[in-house]
Amino acid sequence: GNGYEAWLQYRRADRGTNDERFTEYHHIVASVQDEVMRSAVDELSDGLKGITGRSVSITEDAVSTPCILLGIFGASKAIDQAIDADTARAVKAEGFAIQTDSLTRNIAVGAATSAGLLYGVFHLLRIMGAGGAADRLSLVENPVNPLRMINQWDNMDGSVERGYAGKSIFFENNRITGNLERIKDYARLLASCGINAIAINNVNVHRVESRLLTEFLPEVAKLAEIFRSYAIKLFLSINYASPMELGGLPTADPVASDVREWWRLAASNVYAAVPDFGGFLVKADSEHRPGPFTYGRDHADGANMLAEALKPYGGIVIWRCFVYNCKQDWRDRTTDRARAAYDHFRQLDGSFMDNVILQIKNGPIDFQVREPVSPLLGAMPRTNQMIEFQITQEYTGQQRHVCYLVPQWKEILDFDTHLQGMGTPVKRIVDGTVHGNPYSGFAAVSNIGDDTNWTGHPLAQANLYGYGRLAWNPELSSEEIAGEWITLTYGNREPLYGIIQDMLMSSWEIYESYTAPLGVGFMVNPDHHYGPNVEGYEYSPWGTYHYADCHGIGVDRTTATGTGYTSQYAGPNREMYESPATCPDELLLFFHHVPYTHPLHSGKTVIQHIYDTHFEGAERAERLLAAWERVKEHMDEEAFRQVADRLAEQAEHAKEWRDRINTYFFRKSGIADERGRTIY
Ligand code: BDP
């Protein structure tokens, strides 16, 4: 196939003997109450048609068994009879219960809301698609994270910032698209893996996108309507200087009364057009974007002013913490970009309104292949926080290279911050349980565009799917998520299933091995960030340095002799990172400047590690292509080709990475590869 249906193909399951049972189900019982329930019923009916190959009937009352019953607890008699009260009580707002009656074999999907019902239907279809057992279903699911959000970095000219899969599906020629079908299909994909919020425009808001808030509101309302029918709330990224740009005011100072009034009016207009509007996403005082600093105000002043405007309508402000000085000098080692978010925000704990959420990137720098966890996560007990991931592969191969990111996200979520003693992992902070926050969750930058297969690289679909699944339940394993995705997308026949599973599970490690070593980051071409360039960012003012010279490499971020960044972590982590003896190898150069001959825990020296990983990485990239060749006979030509072409490019490009990095360090250090391999 061309990849458009992604994981919603509703193909017949290949493995397992139970799937045949599902062909009995071609009768849905539901009384549709609203548009979300309409979506649930439509989806179930389409899905059943695909999976069973039979036509499906929908009635309000059960006319034959076995059937699939859908309903809201307390509103549907059939559901209240099918699902006992204790089970029903365990289902929260967006959750659901699924139960098979052993006598009638009826499957009941019950929920407290239509959103829950929609998720329940997608879950049932996932089970059916994977050949699960229809006759024994008995489960309750509730999402772990309240906010499960997608950020589009789409511009109204149709381009997508850091987009690697074509143009925007939302905008073209400085207007909102008329192709609403595609947006509906996107909403289906998102809802099917549990996403419940989306910001449709780039965090870098240009003049034209500011007008989404004003003159484009009628079209925004149409998009909101589509997402609403899939239980997804729409947000807009706003420009902090809108009162000046759109309103002609002389200032955007958050304490100025006309500025406050401008935002109050803007909010009231948005809610008139979109009654369930989610709120604003804000990048302020970052990378040349306007913000409260211009007026000598802090970020709490800025965020609260917007929060006040949204409060009467239940809206929220999502305020990004990606704030740093992008004009830092590499010679000045007293400033450190890694420190910036914590230094700016930590002191403001307790001063944000309760409908403000701080959105914090997973690491302190910028979505590198490997970074420590941002020390700001969890460090503001009286402030709502959510984590921001990057699904789009800006620094992880730009959807030309395969890089399954779920294992990276899992490591971050499982990281123990020690903020409330041992056992305070990031996942418990961002789900709101550690500090009891009213708002919390996940956000991530989308990786889709108008390419037919959505993500350019077909295997990159696994990242979008995996992000949603992980936001729903961070306890799912990377293997489980990959397994679901492979089964739903390609089926679960061997050897195909096992080959793709191995490729995905090894891909992050492979990518890391031939790119910037040991957590030092960057070493990419400036601006577009694709491909190797060891000194591309070394002497420009972005705060992204590795300080390599003829003696050694790495950034001294210790408290004893470096930038003091390590002091932003709680005790045990601070100690672990402070000393090269306890710092994990994979982050050594993020925290320490060491000689090339420094021995790692692995027993290798830093320089030999660089050589070995780069030779191995390039070889392993080549083996990915060889592995893919073995699935050729098990899938159609187009699906095979799309991946094969990219893997060929990756294998070539990995060699370029290997040679650039190895040569650079060979020349700098003058130390030969102990295995005598050729370094160009
Ligand atoms: C960086 C991107 C840049 C974004 C920025 C952000 O290179 O395009 O605008 O992050 O997150 O990763 O605001």
Side-chain angles (χ1 to χ4, degrees):
N2 60 17
Y4 186 80
E5 304 295 333
W7 53 87
L8 297 181
Q9 297 184 34
Y10 302 129
R11 58 204 297 143
R12 295 292 300 276
D14 304 310
R15 194 168 58 186
T17 48
N18 295 314
D19 55 330
E20 285 310 312
R21 301 271 180 96
F22 285 126
T23 56
E24 301 177 336
Y25 295 97
H26 39 88
H27 180 197
I28 301 171
V29 180
S31 104
V32 172
Q33 307 295 337
D34 60 26
E35 65 262 65
V36 177
M37 213 165 151
R38 170 89 277 147
S39 302
V41 171
D42 287 352
E43 196 70 32
L44 185 58
S45 147
D46 286 352
L48 284 180
K49 256 181 241 161
I51 292 168
T52 67
R54 303 182 56 165
S55 64
V56 174
S57 65
I58 304 166
T59 56
E60 294 222 349
D61 298 301
V63 291
S64 68
T65 52
C67 60
I68 300 181
L69 305 156
L70 303 184
I72 307 287
F73 300 125
S76 155
K77 268 216 185 83
I79 286 295
D80 290 340
Q81 273 160 14
I83 297 176
D84 63 89
D86 282 346
T87 306
R89 264 193 296 278
V91 174
K92 310 212 181 83
E94 294 176 293
F96 55 84
I98 304 181
Q99 231 160 54
T100 314
D101 183 307
S102 52
L103 287 178
T104 59
R105 295 196 316 286
N106 287 348
I107 301 174
V109 183
T113 62
S114 338
L117 215 52
L118 181 67
Y119 298 131
V121 159
F122 278 119
H123 196 79
L124 179 60
L125 288 168
R126 188 159 39 233
I127 294 172
M128 291 176 153
D135 50 351
R136 291 192 290 273
L137 294 176
S138 173
L139 58 93
V140 171
E141 288 253 344
N142 290 301
V144 172
N145 290 286
L147 261 164
R148 305 178 299 279
M149 184 171 195
I150 283 286
N151 291 178
Q152 297 296 138
W153 280 2
D154 295 37
N155 301 314
M156 286 190 72
D157 66 4
S159 63
V160 179
E161 180 152 335
R162 311 307 177 188
Y164 311 107
K167 307 213 100 189
S168 172
I169 67 163
F170 292 91
F171 309 113
E172 59 201 346
N173 302 322
N174 293 320
R175 304 206 64 83
I176 292 180
T177 177
N179 184 0
L180 300 181
E181 264 315 295
R182 177 109 203 203
I183 292 180
K184 177 178 169 197
D185 284 332
Y186 187 40
R188 288 177 56 227
L189 286 175
L190 295 181
S192 74
C193 54
I195 299 297
N196 66 358
I198 187 169
I200 58 167
N201 64 306
N202 189 1
V203 290
N204 293 316
V205 183
H206 316 93
R207 197 184 192 89
V208 54
E209 289 101 21
S210 315
R211 286 151 53 202
L212 287 169
L213 206 57
T214 52
E215 61 182 271
F216 291 114
L217 267 182
E219 283 87 37
V220 169
K222 281 190 198 139
L223 298 186
E225 194 181 320
I226 296 174
F227 283 111
R228 179 181 306 121
S229 61
Y230 286 89
I232 298 170
K233 274 197 180 198
L234 187 135
F235 288 68
L236 290 175
S237 297
I238 58 103
N239 180 340
Y240 200 80
S242 291
M244 300 166 76
E245 291 206 1
L246 301 180
L249 298 185
T251 175
D253 185 345
V255 307
S257 59
D258 46 354
V259 172
R260 301 173 86 85
E261 185 50 34
W262 191 91
W263 282 111
R264 265 197 293 273
L265 197 65
S268 111
N269 289 336
V270 177
Y271 280 92
V274 184
D276 58 348
F277 181 68
F280 299 150
L281 173 61
V282 195
K283 174 177 180 177
D285 290 315
S286 166
E287 299 181 333
H288 314 293
R289 304 316 302 155
F293 283 170
T294 314
Y295 312 97
R297 315 291 175 199
D298 67 27
H299 281 218
D301 297 327
N304 290 344
M305 183 256 310
L306 297 173
E308 239 173 69
L310 295 172
K311 183 105 190 167
Y313 314 95
I316 59 181
V317 174
I318 302 182
W319 190 271
R320 295 177 85 230
C321 295
F322 186 60
V323 178
Y324 69 100
N325 174 9
C326 62
K327 293 180 192 146
Q328 333 189 31
D329 194 314
W330 67 278
R331 285 161 303 196
D332 178 4
R333 298 191 187 198
T334 61
T335 63
D336 178 4
R337 172 164 164 184
R339 295 185 52 134
Y342 187 100
D343 284 348
H344 280 299
F345 285 94
R346 163 71 211 256
Q347 60 194 343
L348 298 176
D349 187 25
S351 40
F352 290 95
M353 281 176 61
D354 64 0
N355 60 330
V356 175
I357 311 180
L358 299 184
Q359 181 168 305
I360 303 167
K361 286 192 182 182
N362 62 260
I365 303 271
D366 195 11
F367 300 135
Q368 299 303 291
V369 66
R370 171 87 59 181
E371 282 186 44
V373 162
S374 169
L376 188 59
L377 285 161
M380 300 176 67
R382 290 176 296 154
T383 307
N384 301 316
Q385 296 188 333
M386 64 198 288
I387 195 167
E388 178 178 340
F389 293 114
Q390 196 181 45
I391 312 174
T392 194
Q393 291 171 241
E394 176 177 4
Y395 295 101
T396 49
Q398 303 200 350
Q399 282 136 257
R400 314 297 307 167
H401 295 231
V402 54
C403 191
Y404 176 53
L405 290 165
V406 175
Q408 186 203 54
W409 301 331
K410 287 282 296 181
E411 268 195 34
I412 292 159
L413 294 165
D414 288 341
F415 179 78
D416 193 348
T417 64
H418 287 274
L419 281 167
Q420 294 203 349
M422 221 172 92
T424 320
V426 170
K427 62 189 171 195
R428 291 286 90 83
I429 288 162
V430 300
D431 72 13
T433 51
V434 170
H435 302 306
N437 305 105
Y439 296 106
S440 60
F442 283 31
V445 185
S446 175
N447 63 349
I448 70 109
D450 74 350
D451 278 3
T452 305
N453 69 12
W454 302 92
T455 52
H457 201 313
L459 299 181
Q461 288 181 359
N463 286 329
L464 182 61
Y465 178 81
Y467 166 72
R469 295 290 287 139
L470 211 54
W472 180 274
N473 180 9
E475 302 307 325
L476 293 171
S477 74
S478 305
E479 290 87 347
E480 261 175 288
I481 293 174
E484 286 179 3
W485 178 79
I486 296 164
T487 303
L488 299 171
T489 307
Y490 295 112
N492 55 8
R493 275 159 289 127
E494 295 292 0
L496 179 141
Y497 178 90
I499 291 171
I500 302 178
Q501 177 88 13
D502 289 347
M503 290 175 68
L504 289 177
M505 289 307 297
S506 59
S507 59
W508 175 42
E509 191 183 293
I510 293 175
Y511 188 80
E512 180 174 24
S513 69
Y514 58 74
T515 54
L518 298 166
V520 78
F522 280 84
M523 301 194 175
V524 291
N525 283 304
D527 305 327
H528 60 73
H529 300 166
Y530 191 64
N533 188 340
V534 180
E535 296 195 332
Y537 274 107
E538 195 57 19
Y539 303 104
S540 68
W542 293 88
T544 49
Y545 316 117
H546 53 64
Y547 298 106
D549 59 19
C550 66
H551 307 293
I553 176 175
V555 191
D556 185 354
R557 294 193 160 104
T558 64
T559 305
T561 57
T563 67
Y565 168 74
T566 55
S567 68
Q568 297 182 342
Y569 289 93
N573 289 332
R574 181 189 317 145
E575 281 157 34
M576 170 176 71
Y577 291 137
E578 180 73 10
S579 161
T582 48
C583 182
D585 282 352
E586 67 272 14
L587 287 170
L588 183 71
L589 302 181
F590 190 94
F591 286 102
H592 298 277
H593 186 86
V594 296
Y596 292 111
T597 51
H598 176 90
L600 296 169
H601 300 295
S602 68
K604 291 180 185 180
T605 60
V606 165
I607 188 75
Q608 195 56 39
H609 171 93
I610 293 176
Y611 295 150
D612 287 352
T613 50
H614 285 75
F615 280 113
E616 277 158 26
E619 273 164 32
R620 292 178 76 189
E622 207 144 59
R623 287 206 294 273
L624 287 174
L625 178 59
W628 188 254
E629 294 288 342
R630 292 195 289 128
V631 306
K632 185 167 183 163
E633 55 189 296
H634 305 285
M635 66 171 62
D636 72 68
E637 178 63 22
E638 189 184 355
F640 172 78
R641 254 302 120 231
Q642 284 189 12
V643 176
D645 290 349
R646 283 181 162 75
L647 289 173
E649 177 179 337
Q650 175 176 358
E652 271 315 298
H653 202 222
K655 286 185 207 150
E656 189 187 333
W657 269 101
R658 171 196 68 195
D659 292 341
R660 294 269 201 126
I661 303 255
N662 282 348
T663 307
Y664 178 93
F665 287 106
F666 175 54
R667 296 235 194 118
K668 280 268 154 166
S669 69
I671 301 172
D673 170 30
E674 64 190 26
R675 293 170 57 187
R677 287 161 294 197
T678 311
I679 293 175
Y680 293 96

